[in-house]
Amino acid sequence: MSSSRPTTETRAGDDRTTELIRWAAFSCVLVPVVLLWYGTSLAGTAGTAVGLAAVTAVCRLLLRRSERCAARPPGGAHPPRAPHRGGRRRTGTGSRRGGRHSGGSTPVG
């Protein structure tokens, strides 16, 4: 019987990710304040804040997605594929593609 409770390893990874996201959000607030403090224009500071927020949101999305993929059991929802047992072989007209051909292609005549 499998339980739906996360393992300690999963929770530790989740805690680290949450802490990382909190620091990133803190930076999204701190950087514009520092830029304003040092005299950067309001428009430049706003643009920086929006850019940092966008990057933080994308990173958060990717981190959460990688955690979900890592938490999946090996094999996931898709069963493993059967090993490949050779390529398709064409017979008849047009079976050769490129390479050297025996015989010439000039008309006899």
Side-chain angles (χ1 to χ4, degrees):
M1 177 182 226
S2 66
S3 69
S4 61
R5 294 172 53 191
T7 63
T8 51
E9 186 177 305
T10 305
R11 279 185 276 168
D14 190 40
D15 290 343
R16 287 183 293 198
T17 302
T18 302
E19 185 177 340
L20 182 68
I21 292 169
R22 285 182 183 164
W23 275 107
F26 174 72
S27 298
C28 287
V29 173
L30 182 64
V31 169
V33 169
V34 170
L35 288 173
L36 282 174
W37 181 266
Y38 281 100
T40 305
S41 70
L42 188 59
T45 302
T48 301
V50 169
L52 283 172
V55 168
T56 301
V58 169
C59 288
R60 178 179 183 264
L61 176 79
L62 292 173
L63 279 168
R64 296 294 184 195
R65 184 181 219 185
S66 70
E67 281 181 344
R68 281 194 308 266
C69 289
R72 261 190 230 157
H78 302 289
R81 292 183 176 183
H84 192 263
R85 298 198 177 184
R88 296 180 186 161
R89 293 201 169 94
R90 301 178 101 190
T91 58
T93 308
S95 63
R96 297 185 196 162
R97 293 184 174 226
R100 296 184 181 198
H101 299 277
S102 60
S105 61
T106 57
V108 177

